[in-house]
Amino acid sequence: MFENFYASLETGVHNVSGFIWGGEWGGEQVLPVGPIAVILLGTGLYFMLRLGGRPLLRFIPALVEVWKGRKGNGDPAAITPFQALSTALSGQVGTGNIVGVATALTLGGPGAIFWMWVTAIFGMALAFAESSLAIKYREIDEYGRINGGPMYYIKKGLGKNWTWLAAIFCVGTLFSATATGGMIQANSLTANIHSAFSDGGIGIPLWVLGLILAGLVFAVIVGGIKSIGRVAGSLVPTMAALYIIACIVILLLNLQYIPGAFGMIFSSAFGLNQAAGGLAGYAVLSAIRFGVARGLFSNEAGQGSAPIAHAASQMKNPAKQGEIAMIGVFIDTMVLCTMTALVILTAEGSWATAAQFKEWAGETTTHMWMAEGHNPATLTNQAFTDAVPGPVGGWLVTLCLALFAFTTIIGWSYYAEQAVTFLVGEWATKPFRYIWVIIIFIGAMAEVNIVWLFGDIANASMALPNLLAILLLSGVVYGIHKANGDPETADGDSLIEDLRIKETPAE
């Protein structure tokens, strides 16, 4: 009976996920592309045009703002702009950068990476819109804490009549936090560490790893956003640098295959290779579907999670923090995801012989991502293992995945906490932190295949109300863009004028 229920639930979730992201239902193509892909890319394109290409034109100045944001203004109740970016990145940089890219490649072909890039470029405009609104409409509660994010710019920007939309977003946030930000991350982390130690002949029970993880998470989140910001500000740059260096070393060892990898990405994105036999018969629509879905899963642009972190920044200027938020999307997808994709596409392995690669790289070699029946969850790990002699490659991915997953868990704990605060009240803040630790412990040991199935639906449940809100507030975003055209001199309007609020022991 339970098996029948699970099978029915799995089918239903597959159908819903397939429809909203790929326009499929029951294996049949109902729409050319999924509605959420159209809405996400369409909204991103709209803001890119409305903002006059600001994410591209102001990219270098935004990098400068990130560097300046390391110092902050000393406000004891908020975190520095750099820590806000690191906290947002802690939620963005996770298994999506390792497992998500492998899944996109496996299901959508190399062309999916191109559509991840498109999602990221337009996503930078979305990041500016939602994070600048988060600064403009944030609040200070009775305990002196800063609260902000889509639920607040919905309530304050659109009015109390739209509170229902804010509530829907908060429910979606809790849904997504539990599924993708908590249990999946905890399960991936403990499973990889357990596997790594098992391969070395050391057996550690999952419940022990789960207990250790829960304890580490609690040690960070018990201090609130200030503690999360400090840890994220230290861990995120370190783990990103470690991963990038490792990828660069592997790519240098496979330098001759990189032009072919880019050739596969672009040709597969537009179906050009299919006329010549293809690399696996991947359709353009599949590349769009899985590229956009995995892109959102990774960089979260338009989903509404990152602006919750950016709202806690000491920055008073909405445009400046919006530009800092843009850099988070770029780092996550254009840098980290691209590095992962290139490693997978160029790493040689024994899984499959790919004669088709001769067309691009000038020789026949073996590239594991083309093999049928392999597990996307272990594909990146296998690529690093095969590319780096000895056990170093596998352990490196395990370490990076552990750091990525851990920072995602602490980042999403704050997002969920803010959603609970909005729905229930400030009194629920501390009890929720204990609940979150229990969720992590359960996720570390439980079978979460069914949770993975809910991942894309959970992301959409946040993205849709948030995208609707920023579209309705697009005039405000445009006003911020125009009034803060020179972020060096403009302070904007309707800001929280005094963030030097009283210190309290409330955290």
Side-chain angles (χ1 to χ4, degrees), residues 286-338:
S286 291
I288 296 174
R289 171 188 173 181
F290 291 105
V292 174
R294 295 303 96 195
L296 175 61
F297 181 82
S298 180
N299 63 52
E300 301 175 9
Q303 186 174 342
S305 52
I308 299 175
H310 286 286
S313 169
Q314 294 169 355
M315 180 70 70
K316 291 187 179 183
N317 187 315
K320 284 187 178 181
Q321 196 65 39
E323 290 184 341
I324 290 173
M326 297 184 323
I327 301 302
V329 177
F330 180 87
I331 293 173
D332 177 89
T333 304
M334 304 302 289
V335 178
L336 295 176
C337 287
T338 300

Side-chain angles (χ1 to χ4, degrees), residues 100-179:
V101 172
T103 302
L105 273 171
T106 303
L107 300 178
I113 305 305
F114 173 84
W115 293 105
M116 289 183 75
W117 293 340
V118 173
T119 304
I121 292 173
F122 292 159
M124 292 173 69
L126 293 175
F128 176 88
E130 59 189 4
S131 294
S132 62
L133 288 172
I135 292 291
K136 183 178 179 67
Y137 290 114
R138 59 188 172 177
E139 294 181 349
I140 299 176
D141 64 27
E142 62 268 32
Y143 300 107
R145 286 191 294 249
I146 297 176
N147 298 319
M151 52 283 221
Y152 291 94
Y153 56 70
I154 290 173
K155 183 184 74 171
K156 296 180 67 177
L158 297 179
K160 292 185 178 180
N161 290 336
W162 287 87
T163 303
W164 60 271
L165 186 65
I168 290 175
F169 173 81
C170 287
V171 172
T173 300
L174 292 174
F175 184 22
S176 190
T178 302

Side-chain angles (χ1 to χ4, degrees), residues 309-395:
H310 286 286
S313 169
Q314 294 169 355
M315 180 70 70
K316 291 187 179 183
N317 187 315
K320 284 187 178 181
Q321 196 65 39
E323 290 184 341
I324 290 173
M326 297 184 323
I327 301 302
V329 177
F330 180 87
I331 293 173
D332 177 89
T333 304
M334 304 302 289
V335 178
L336 295 176
C337 287
T338 300
M339 288 287 188
T340 302
L342 290 176
V343 167
I344 294 174
L345 289 173
T346 59
E348 294 187 61
S350 57
W351 291 21
T353 299
Q356 296 95 332
F357 198 83
K358 182 177 181 180
E359 180 179 346
W360 304 107
E363 61 180 274
T364 300
T365 186
T366 55
H367 291 269
M368 67 185 67
W369 70 271
M370 297 178 184
E372 295 182 1
H374 56 62
N375 183 4
T378 60
L379 183 56
T380 306
N381 188 291
Q382 189 64 46
F384 273 79
T385 300
D386 285 0
V388 180
V392 177
W395 275 102

